[in-house]
Structure formats: C-alpha cells, structure tokens
Amino acid sequence: MPSWAIALRLVGVGWFLAASVIIGIVSGFFLDEWLGTKVIFTLLGVLLGLIVAFYGLYQMVKPLMDFNDKESDKE
C-alpha cells in the first residue's frame, strides 16, 4: 500500500474521531435544551461519541495492522 494511501486513511480516521465526538456533544446539548435538563444528555453524548469514535478507530486501523503483519511475514 503506498504511503499516500495510508496517510489519507489516517486523515479520514482523524475526521471520523472528531465528528463522532462533536456530534455526540451537540446532540446531547440540544436534548438538554429541549428537555430542560442540566448536562445529563451532554455527558451521555460525549460518552456515546467516544465509544463510537474508538470502535470506528479500531475498525479503520485494523486493516492497516493486518496488512503490516502480512508484509512482515513475507520478509
């Protein structure tokens, strides 16, 4: 896999992580405003965003690690 392809995949991972957390925070904030609660849904949104972000991170980076293992086995 060319180095530019790996770089683009890692940039995509970064955007995915940021978007997951930001969407969780914003969704929780709007739910708090709509329901008149303090910060419970914002905190739940942060937690859910982090869970989604790290699961997605694992799924996106796993093929890169598998590819690296296959390349090192060839040598």
Side-chain angles (χ1 to χ4, degrees):
M1 180 177 285
S3 61
W4 61 268
I6 294 172
L8 285 177
R9 181 173 288 243
L10 293 176
V11 168
V13 168
W15 279 103
F16 180 78
L17 292 174
S20 297
V21 174
I22 289 170
I23 289 171
I25 291 170
V26 171
S27 300
F29 178 76
F30 282 120
L31 274 173
D32 279 332
E33 289 289 320
W34 184 51
L35 297 173
T37 56
K38 294 282 182 183
V39 294
I40 187 71
F41 289 109
T42 303
L43 293 175
L44 288 174
V46 170
L47 182 63
L48 184 62
L50 286 172
I51 290 170
V52 168
F54 282 108
Y55 179 75
L57 171 71
Y58 174 74
Q59 292 297 320
M60 289 181 192
V61 174
K62 184 179 170 186
L64 292 176
M65 293 186 300
D66 292 341
F67 179 76
N68 193 21
D69 288 341
K70 289 177 186 175
E71 286 294 317
S72 64
D73 289 342
K74 289 180 183 179
E75 292 177 2

